[in-house]
Amino acid sequence: MLVLALDLGMKCGWALRDGDVVTSGTWWLAPYGNKEMPGRKFLRFRQALIKTGMVDQVVFEEVTFHSGSSLASHMWGAWWGLLLSWCETHRIPYKGVSVAALKRSTTGNAKADKVEMIEAMRKLGYDPQSDDEADALALLHHYEAKARHAERR
């Protein structure tokens, strides 16, 4: 089963489980300089999804509150809309995980900071290069733990 986990944003963290193999990283989606049209970031996101190939499941960090600028919330909503429309088009099931639930299941603390999330993934044997990649890996593990729990029922 191919599972894709995404931490949506301009620096989009991703993790992909293909059997026993997990790969991860970040997709840089921000515009390159002032001359590039702002919509290019959405095309880059779509191309990254296409290059991932057909997956069996998508899980993503579901942000319900932005304490910063409204631009962040608008951008997250755009990534979310693109992701869900791609999943619906290809009939790929998707599941959002709240930030607090993800942090709690990963560190035991619903308010864990970026360093704690990175360290938690390092304890599992990964070497995330950013908090975005660490969050994607944590999403993958959270989803898999929930799936194992559901199978035992």
Side-chain angles (χ1 to χ4, degrees):
M1 182 167 173
L2 281 157
V3 180
L4 176 63
L6 296 170
D7 178 30
L8 301 173
M10 291 280 201
K11 190 175 175 188
C12 183
W14 62 272
L16 181 68
R17 159 93 55 202
D18 184 359
D20 292 335
V21 178
V22 173
T23 53
S24 63
T26 56
W27 296 325
W28 181 252
L29 304 173
Y32 294 108
N34 295 342
K35 295 185 182 187
E36 187 174 78
M37 297 299 288
R40 297 291 301 171
K41 61 185 156 277
F42 302 118
L43 293 177
R44 269 195 283 287
F45 181 55
R46 189 175 69 190
Q47 286 301 314
L49 291 171
I50 291 167
K51 285 181 184 177
T52 301
M54 295 287 55
V55 298
D56 299 304
Q57 176 72 46
V58 169
V59 61
F60 61 93
E61 187 175 47
E62 192 164 30
V63 179
T64 56
F65 176 78
H66 280 90
S67 60
S69 71
S70 62
L71 178 59
S73 61
H74 289 296
M75 291 305 304
W76 188 88
W79 304 126
W80 181 71
L82 284 167
L83 176 63
L84 270 54
S85 67
W86 180 76
C87 289
E88 290 288 347
T89 298
H90 298 289
R91 295 188 172 121
I92 300 168
Y94 52 88
K95 175 82 172 124
V97 177
S98 76
V99 175
L102 178 63
K103 290 181 176 192
R104 188 179 306 110
S105 73
T106 304
T107 68
N109 175 7
K111 295 184 182 209
D113 63 23
K114 295 174 184 207
V115 172
E116 290 173 286
M117 294 295 284
I118 291 169
E119 286 304 313
M121 290 300 97
R122 287 192 173 138
K123 286 179 184 174
L124 290 176
Y126 297 103
D127 186 25
Q129 300 302 299
S130 70
D131 59 289
D132 305 291
E133 184 179 358
D135 284 355
L137 288 162
L139 280 161
L140 186 62
H141 281 271
H142 175 87
Y143 171 78
E144 291 172 343
K146 291 283 187 185
R148 282 191 303 272
H149 180 74
E151 285 175 5
R152 287 187 215 133
R153 288 182 174 187

